[in-house]
């Protein structure tokens, strides 16, 4: 661990230093996760234009002469920024110094790019044998298609997720967020933490590699085993679960609700609440209900038709049926439950002033017997301006010399 750095924020990774060479989303998301946990994350960007996502919009906010891309804000909180020309001696010398002091290096260049810049895996490990390198590509670092550029929607399609998503077989859809990028970053972070733990035993660093398609295949879950074990080829099924019924989105008067009837006990409770015979032909067990899904949906929606969403949710709650609504993002970020979990945080941005960002999904507690004290980081830094922290970073490197 690099004990010569301090973010000023306590967290599980306080004292660790992460050099984030990545851009766009997969690597930056991983870097932000480390920053959320208290690590010092130094984002290395191209001079002049910075990370690609600084120009991804609309929407842009702020003054016309200094527009800020909200996309960049989504994956770069709790970081510092320095702009380095890695084709110059000064830039490479500074990066070499950063690597020598780092615990983790994140990169998501195409295979071979970092080698051509003079920072191959061998060189990085020679500079710092304790370094953990997280390398994220689109299609993997080897194999017949390793040279392909990785973009989220292409990965969603190539790795099968779009074949599972949509209203039906003729309506394949992308997931509404760049899920391939995000999952590659999450899986990569998980791998880095494992490598850091191993380093405690061995004293040696490690290379952790993942890809957008690996992240996609990694979350196929039961759909994957339908293919590999049952020999099925799953297709989009809309807003209803392919293996459970009733489980999905159901229309009611002037709206819709979601219900999850995941076992026969819940089916009995549901039927009692809505005057349905649980032994109705074709509905007596889950397998029958899945096979007769259109009839199940028609029956349930006929019962729901007399209720508005709020009244229906109250009735479902009274009956003990897991249920919920579909919120817009505006509603989510004003929802008391989301706010209670720290899922919206305020930061002070140097151009925009006080702004709200989606918050980190983890909370931490010190437990002593029956007493718990929350130790979750609550003070967060705004995504940095390009090169905002260069002077401080260079001063830190010089003082260490």
């Amino acid at each position: 661990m690099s004990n010569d750095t301090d973010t000023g924020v306590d967290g599980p990774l306080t004292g660790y230093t992460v050099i984030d060479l990545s851009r766009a989303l997969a690597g930056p998301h991983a870097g932000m996760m480390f920053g959320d946990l208290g690590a010092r994350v130094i984002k290395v960007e191209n001079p002049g234009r910075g990370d690609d996502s600084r120009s991804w919009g609309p929407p842009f906010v702020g003054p016309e002469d200094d527009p800020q891309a909200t996309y960049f804000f989504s994956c770069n909180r709790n970081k510092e920024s320095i702009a380095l020309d890695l084709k110059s001696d000064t830039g490479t010398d500074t990066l070499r110094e950063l690597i020598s002091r780092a615990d983790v290096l994140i990169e998501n260049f195409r295979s071979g790019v970092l080698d051509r810049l003079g920072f191959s895996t061998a060189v990085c490990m020679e500079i710092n044998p304790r370094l953990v390198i997280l390398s994220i590509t689109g299609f993997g670092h080897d194999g017949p298609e390793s040279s392909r550029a990785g973009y989220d929607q292409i990965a969603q399609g190539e790795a099968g997720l779009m074949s599972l998503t949509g209203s039906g077989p003729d309506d394949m859809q992308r997931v509404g967020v760049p899920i391939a990028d995000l999952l590659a970053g999450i899986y990569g972070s998980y791998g880095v933490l494992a490598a850091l733990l191993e380093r405690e035993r061995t004293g040696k660093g490690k290379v952790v590699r993942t890809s957008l398609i690996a992240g996609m295949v990694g979350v196929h879950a039961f759909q994957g085993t339908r293919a590999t074990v049952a020999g099925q080829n799953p297709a989009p099924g809309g807003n209803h679960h392919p293996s459970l019924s009733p489980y999905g989105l159901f229309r009611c008067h002037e709206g819709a609700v979601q219900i999850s009837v995941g076992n026969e006990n819940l089916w009995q409770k549901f039927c009692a609440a809505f005057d349905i015979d649980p032994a109705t032909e074709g509905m007596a067990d889950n397998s029958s209900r899945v096979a007769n899904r259109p009839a199940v949906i028609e029956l349930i929606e006929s019962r729901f038709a007399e209720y508005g969403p709020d009244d229906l949710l109250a009735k479902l709650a009274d009956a003990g049926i897991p249920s919920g609504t579909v919120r817009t993002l505006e509603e989510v970020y004003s929802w008391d439950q989301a706010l209670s979990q720290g899922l919206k945080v305020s930061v002070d941005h140097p151009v925009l002033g006080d702004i709200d960002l989606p918050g980190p999904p983890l909370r931490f507690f010190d437990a002593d017997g029956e007493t718990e004290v929350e130790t979750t980081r609550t003070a967060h830094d705004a995504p940095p301006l390009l090169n905002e922290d260069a002077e401080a970073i260079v001063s830190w490197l010089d003082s260490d010399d």
Side-chain angles (χ1 to χ4, degrees), residues 175-188:
V175 175
V177 296
I179 194 69
D181 281 309
L182 296 169
L183 285 170
I186 292 168
Y187 273 121

Side-chain angles (χ1 to χ4, degrees), residues 306-322:
E306 61 185 277
Y307 301 94
D310 291 342
D311 290 341
L312 181 53
L313 289 170
K315 184 174 179 66
L316 288 163
D318 288 344
I321 306 301

Side-chain angles (χ1 to χ4, degrees), residues 215-232:
M216 290 288 81
V217 174
V219 294
H220 281 175
F222 72 93
Q223 298 281 31
T225 51
R226 285 178 72 188
T228 63
V229 180
Q232 298 181 3

Side-chain angles (χ1 to χ4, degrees), residues 100-123:
S100 72
R101 290 159 172 75
D103 297 284
V104 179
L105 174 71
I106 304 172
E107 64 93 7
N108 62 352
F109 296 106
R110 285 198 201 185
S111 296
V113 170
L114 208 54
D115 293 20
R116 292 194 294 273
L117 291 171
F119 291 94
S120 65
T121 298
V123 169

Side-chain angles (χ1 to χ4, degrees), residues 51-66:
D51 189 316
D52 294 346
S53 67
R54 288 187 183 274
S55 64
W56 286 0
F60 295 99
V61 294
E64 291 186 7
D65 61 348
D66 193 13

Side-chain angles (χ1 to χ4, degrees), residues 29-318:
H29 188 78
M32 185 174 69
M33 292 175 67
F34 296 129
D36 289 344
L37 297 177
R40 182 181 191 181
V41 182
I42 298 174
K43 184 177 182 67
V44 177
E45 303 188 67
N46 290 320
R49 67 180 186 276
D51 189 316
D52 294 346
S53 67
R54 288 187 183 274
S55 64
W56 286 0
F60 295 99
V61 294
E64 291 186 7
D65 61 348
D66 193 13
Q68 305 292 312
T70 60
Y71 199 115
F72 179 82
F73 293 173
S74 72
C75 52
N76 288 291
R77 66 172 173 261
N78 296 326
K79 298 182 184 181
E80 302 169 53
S81 172
I82 185 170
L84 297 179
D85 179 1
L86 297 183
K87 296 181 180 179
S88 72
D89 290 342
T90 301
T92 56
D93 288 347
T94 302
L95 180 57
R96 180 178 289 268
E97 291 296 317
L98 288 170
I99 289 173
S100 72
R101 290 159 172 75
D103 297 284
V104 179
L105 174 71
I106 304 172
E107 64 93 7
N108 62 352
F109 296 106
R110 285 198 201 185
S111 296
V113 170
L114 208 54
D115 293 20
R116 292 194 294 273
L117 291 171
F119 291 94
S120 65
T121 298
V123 169
C124 289
M125 300 308 287
E126 181 181 353
I127 296 170
N128 183 352
R130 290 174 54 83
L131 185 68
V132 174
I133 300 174
L134 171 58
S135 186
I136 303 173
T137 57
F139 289 81
H141 292 73
D142 49 19
E145 300 186 40
S146 60
S147 63
R148 294 178 64 181
Y151 289 91
D152 177 85
Q153 185 159 341
I154 294 172
Q156 287 195 39
E158 291 277 24
L161 192 67
M162 288 179 68
S163 77
L164 306 171
T165 308
S167 61
D170 297 323
D171 181 38
M172 292 181 287
Q173 296 284 333
R174 64 183 288 275
V175 175
V177 296
I179 194 69
D181 281 309
L182 296 169
L183 285 170
I186 292 168
Y187 273 121
S189 302
Y190 159 73
V192 166
L193 294 178
L196 289 172
L197 283 173
E198 184 182 44
R199 192 181 73 175
E200 294 299 308
R201 300 194 309 270
T202 67
K204 296 180 180 180
K206 181 83 75 175
V207 179
V208 178
R209 290 176 174 164
T210 190
S211 65
L212 273 61
I213 62 165
M216 290 288 81
V217 174
V219 294
H220 281 175
F222 72 93
Q223 298 281 31
T225 51
R226 285 178 72 188
T228 63
V229 180
Q232 298 181 3
N233 194 23
N239 291 316
H240 291 275
H241 198 291
S243 301
L244 298 171
S245 178
Y247 189 126
L249 184 73
F250 293 84
R251 293 187 299 271
C252 61
H253 180 65
E254 295 186 342
V257 300
Q258 302 205 93
I259 62 172
S260 301
V261 179
N263 57 54
E264 295 307 316
N265 181 49
L266 285 173
W267 174 244
Q268 295 289 330
K269 290 181 177 180
F270 180 81
C271 289
F274 291 94
D275 193 25
I276 297 172
D277 180 0
T280 299
E281 184 178 356
M283 302 184 191
D285 56 49
N286 180 68
S287 295
S288 300
R289 294 192 295 273
V290 170
N292 293 285
R293 190 187 311 278
V296 175
I297 294 173
E298 182 180 4
L299 175 61
I300 290 175
E301 290 188 340
S302 71
R303 296 295 196 272
F304 285 4
E306 61 185 277
Y307 301 94
D310 291 342
D311 290 341
L312 181 53
L313 289 170
K315 184 174 179 66
L316 288 163
D318 288 344

